[in-house]
Amino acid sequence: MSLLTNVMDHSLDDGYAEATARRESDGSAGMPRTLRAKLGLAAGLVLAALVVTVGAAQARIAAPVVAKEREELIDRIEAETSAADRLEDDVDELRAEVGERQRKALEEHGGEQGQLVALLSGATAVRGPGVKLMVDDAKDTEEGGGGPRESTSFSDTGRVRDRDMQRVVNGLWSSGAEAVAINGQRLTALSAIRAAGDAILVDNKPLVPPYTVLAVGDGQQLSTDFQDSADGQYLHVLQQNYLIRTSISDQEEIRLPAAPSLIVRTAEPLATGAGKDVANTGKGTS
């Protein structure tokens, strides 16, 4: 009976009891570690799939909204572009109208010299004999040296610059040109030839080489006088030393457009007989 009683009281072997107690103490009791890892991986995959599914659903929901906003933005851009084009056309029409009225005013109030004043001011288109002068950059703009550009800080001496075109135009005026245009831009007493980076501007409008200068005048005489002038010699030096390409030829007929409307901010017409009074006061000749 003592044996049966011992078996009933100690049904679990002492070694098994010690192993169980050891697993409970280090937290390894329960399911195996590999099984827990697999369950954790499965849970992570399920969570990732859920996030992807939710994101895809939200993207599908938001896609029509984004597409609609994009179409609305494109429509706005096209509408504003069309409006800007219309305004630019209106400006061109108004500028042409102002120029036409200025020309008529010069002809009506200028008396016998009205047409001449309109011609000299560039307010009217002109035609007549003259010269055609072509000026272009050198093929290799790094070639050349010395001469009138020796002290310049620019290394690109083969490129035509604004001061070159200024001398060309001034030389044509002094040689007897009556009207001048560069690449179709009519020059007046208020015209300016300037540079903006590598571009040459005439009245703030950029020009692209080659530069075609048309001048109305006595063609053969104008050509000879210009080439013999200091400005003509300057252009010849640029051609020899810097390989800038130039050519000049007589033309039987040249047509030049009218200049854009002139805006005079300072000068005012004198009343009849006022010139003598101004002269007597010593003003007007400063």
Side-chain angles (χ1 to χ4, degrees), residues 5-275:
T5 301
N6 186 36
V7 171
M8 295 295 295
D9 293 338
H10 303 282
S11 58
L12 184 62
D13 185 75
D14 294 338
Y16 287 106
E18 292 177 1
T20 301
R22 187 169 57 252
R23 286 196 302 270
E24 291 177 352
S25 63
D26 61 11
S28 60
M31 67 178 62
R33 183 177 302 176
T34 56
L35 181 59
R36 290 201 308 272
K38 291 180 180 179
L39 291 177
L41 178 61
L45 292 175
V46 171
L47 181 60
L50 180 62
V51 171
V52 172
T53 303
V54 173
Q58 291 179 346
R60 284 196 300 269
I61 295 174
V65 177
V66 174
K68 183 178 180 181
E69 292 178 352
R70 181 175 179 274
E71 292 177 358
E72 291 178 352
L73 181 59
I74 293 175
D75 292 340
R76 288 180 56 188
I77 293 174
E78 292 178 350
E80 294 298 332
T81 301
S82 300
D85 293 339
R86 289 193 297 270
L87 290 175
E88 186 174 354
D89 293 338
D90 292 341
V91 170
D92 292 338
E93 292 178 1
L94 291 174
R95 184 179 289 114
E97 182 180 352
V98 170
E100 183 64 26
R101 292 190 177 187
Q102 285 182 340
R103 287 188 285 272
K104 289 182 178 180
L106 286 172
E107 294 175 358
E108 291 176 1
H109 301 286
E112 296 179 354
Q113 297 183 343
Q115 187 174 2
L116 177 61
V117 172
L119 186 150
L120 295 178
S121 65
T124 183
V126 297
R127 65 181 179 88
V131 297
K132 178 180 180 181
L133 176 62
M134 300 287 294
V135 184
D136 197 2
D137 297 336
K139 290 183 178 180
D140 186 351
T141 56
E142 297 297 332
E143 291 189 9
R149 301 190 180 199
E150 190 172 24
S151 61
T152 182
S153 60
F154 295 95
S155 61
D156 192 4
T157 55
R159 186 181 299 276
V160 179
R161 300 180 189 147
D162 57 332
R163 65 173 180 267
D164 302 332
M165 299 308 300
Q166 290 172 3
R167 295 202 60 166
V168 167
V169 171
N170 289 334
L172 288 171
W173 285 124
S174 63
S175 298
E178 300 173 3
V180 180
I182 303 178
N183 285 14
Q185 294 292 325
R186 180 78 174 274
L187 302 181
T188 68
L190 300 180
S191 295
I193 301 176
R194 294 289 183 265
D198 291 334
I200 295 179
L201 308 181
V202 174
D203 293 336
N204 294 323
K205 294 184 178 180
L207 304 182
V208 178
Y211 305 103
T212 302
V213 184
L214 298 177
V216 175
D218 185 346
Q220 186 174 0
Q221 187 65 38
L222 178 59
S223 176
T224 301
D225 292 345
F226 172 75
Q227 294 182 73
D228 292 340
S229 67
D231 297 313
Q233 292 299 317
Y234 172 86
L235 187 61
H236 183 65
V237 171
L238 295 184
Q239 183 180 19
Q240 286 187 325
N241 290 3
Y242 303 100
L243 305 182
I244 287 178
R245 293 167 287 178
T246 67
S247 65
I248 188 170
S249 59
D250 303 341
Q251 302 291 317
E252 293 183 359
E253 182 175 273
I254 291 177
R255 294 178 179 269
L256 301 184
S261 58
L262 302 179
I263 300 177
V264 181
R265 299 181 177 86
T266 305
E268 296 180 359
L270 283 174
T272 303

